[in-house]
Amino acid sequence: MKSIIYSLLTLIILCGCQNPLTKSTDQNKTNELAEDVKSEFVRSWEGYKKYAWGHDVLLPLSKSHKDWYEESLHISAIDAYSTMKVMGLDDYTKEIENYVIDSISWDKDLYVKTFEVNIRILGGLLAMYEYTNDQQILDKAEDFGQRMLAAFRSPTGMPYYWFNLKTGEAKGKKINVAEAASYMFEMGILSYYTKNPKYYQAAKKANMAVWERVSDINLVAEVINVETGEWMHGTSHICAGIDSYYEYLLKSYLTFGDPELLPIWEKSIYAINTYLVEESDTSFWYKRVDMHTGQKKTNLMYADNDEAIEGGIITLYDAFFPAVLALSGDLDRAEKTQDTWNWLWNRYGLEPMIYDFDAAVATYPAYDLNPEIIESAYYLYHYTGKEKFYDMVFQYWDDIKKYCKTEVAFSSIKDVRTMEKKDYMPTFFFAETMKYIYLTFTMEDGAFNLDDHVFNTEAHPFKKDSFNKKEAKIRLGY
Ligand code: DMJ
């Protein structure tokens, strides 16, 4: 009898106290979810301010900080800014604007990574200018862009891996294609705002240098020498190392309308869909192939350490591709790929950084709070309206809170099989991951419409209306 009463009581309690954050597209619940994301963002930002202010990243377990180089480039603050704007956190944004204007100088004797500072610092500052229209912010962005041009002074026009912000020296001739040619978007915007075509022209020259070296079947390989223009090996894919090259071909064309980019995008996407797709009844992967024959490659030389690895290797970064497919209008392939990524997430509860789909093993099992799978679910929820994509984001957010939340913020994960935490919170967690989750949960309220915006690869948003194509032709000089 006692146990029946106890069970009944438990049932009554369970029915009466539903978890307020259950998944639902119902407007009230959705707003509660959005408020939850916002309050976690604020908690993490306060954690950053307390333990890492002025530095590049927060170390969320040791409650300290780390800079990418010998001096800080203030990357977390610049990356976090546009997410704060999207969330309406205007007290915080004012503080960052003042900080950028009063306290940041780019005159630093530091070698910085050309690709990384372009998407985070130049992209972040340009978005800050979009929101503020403050000439002092644009001056900071242009000062940065002007220094970045030094990297592009190579015999081919493709940038060196590193450049020195103060001296303008550049080094590192072996780079991947994403690092060689993912600049047209930010440098096009800089040219547009400053009415000086030199930035877009430098970025486009780098792209054309890659395109001139494409194989007969219109595929690029991953690693190239910026001095000789020689490919370092012949493996082609859409994975990390090439990813944003394709993303920016499409986004730069859609934003500025440079007609030379359209056939490059069209030939590229045709080649990708012809040679890279590996489809089964239950999966839809984009594999690695030989750039000349289109044949699958499973014995890969890696750029960083020249070690060979075997298998159908993909990286969690590749989950950006459904978003790009959806943006291009190809919802069929976008949905199939996203479903495959979603399956992988569910297999572990978070995604492994590198996965071999032939052997079905996580080759490198870390998860660094990356946004790509969430970004793609957000795009697909927008374009298809299908609730399953909203549900995916709900689940990703739930899992991130379950496994990555720390006392002061969120942490990366060393191994998704054990969920052991790693003392690092990357800057893109502020810029991208939290933004795409928040935007999914607020989609129905209409405050931010994806149709009116275009994101750089670090999720800094720009209004499409800010760029008039006729004007772009003059300001970008195409
Ligand atoms: C981000 O810095 C950018 O999205 C980049 O293009 C590759 N992916 C990381 C986050 O995973």
Side-chain angles (χ1 to χ4, degrees), residues 119-120 317 370-372 428 432 457-458:
I119 64 172
R120 300 179 203 227
Y317 302 97
N370 307 79
E372 288 81 0
F428 54 71
E432 300 190 70
T457 191
E458 190 75 358

Side-chain angles (χ1 to χ4, degrees), residues 337-353:
T337 324
Q338 180 65 17
D339 287 345
T340 308
W341 283 106
N342 189 53
W343 168 85
L344 185 62
W345 179 289
N346 278 295
R347 184 171 170 194
Y348 294 96
L350 296 171
E351 285 168 305
M353 184 81 59

Side-chain angles (χ1 to χ4, degrees), residues 361-472:
V361 290
T363 317
Y364 180 56
Y367 171 66
D368 283 349
L369 294 165
N370 307 79
E372 288 81 0
I373 193 172
I374 303 166
E375 171 185 5
S376 286
Y378 162 67
Y379 273 66
L380 280 163
Y381 181 49
H382 170 82
Y383 285 118
T384 68
K386 290 184 186 168
E387 227 175 288
K388 73 171 185 179
F389 296 113
Y390 179 98
D391 292 348
M392 287 180 192
V393 177
F394 175 86
Q395 194 200 327
Y396 304 152
W397 176 231
D398 218 36
D399 290 338
I400 288 172
K401 283 195 295 181
K402 194 183 323 168
Y403 299 120
C404 309
K405 194 167 169 175
T406 73
E407 199 190 322
V408 299
F410 288 81
S411 75
S412 302
I413 296 292
K414 260 190 202 151
D415 190 328
V416 295
R417 296 164 308 185
T418 61
M419 298 300 176
E420 186 189 348
K421 289 188 167 75
K422 177 157 96 181
D423 194 14
Y424 198 85
M425 188 177 79
T427 73
F428 54 71
F429 184 64
F430 281 136
E432 300 190 70
T433 313
M434 294 199 109
K435 185 183 282 132
Y436 288 127
I437 297 170
Y438 181 82
L439 286 175
T440 306
F441 295 154
T442 51
M443 196 178 288
E444 307 305 329
D445 74 22
F448 186 103
N449 188 341
L450 178 58
D451 290 336
D452 300 334
H453 294 85
V454 54
F455 292 97
N456 88 333
T457 191
E458 190 75 358
H460 295 304
F462 296 86
K463 282 217 166 103
K464 286 184 186 163
D465 276 2
S466 305
F467 309 100
N468 170 289
K469 299 213 168 88
K470 261 196 191 156
E471 194 61 34

Side-chain angles (χ1 to χ4, degrees), residues 128-144:
M128 202 177 290
Y129 175 66
E130 267 254 327
Y131 279 111
T132 58
N133 222 2
D134 184 334
Q135 182 61 38
Q136 297 173 94
I137 304 277
L138 183 57
D139 292 346
K140 285 279 173 196
E142 186 169 21
D143 180 29
F144 197 86

Side-chain angles (χ1 to χ4, degrees), residues 283-301:
S283 65
F284 198 90
W285 295 113
Y286 281 85
K287 62 179 180 262
R288 295 169 195 254
V289 303
D290 182 291
M291 73 183 289
H292 300 290
T293 64
Q295 293 299 306
K296 182 171 178 176
K297 276 187 101 172
T298 53
N299 189 344
L300 308 163
M301 295 301 287

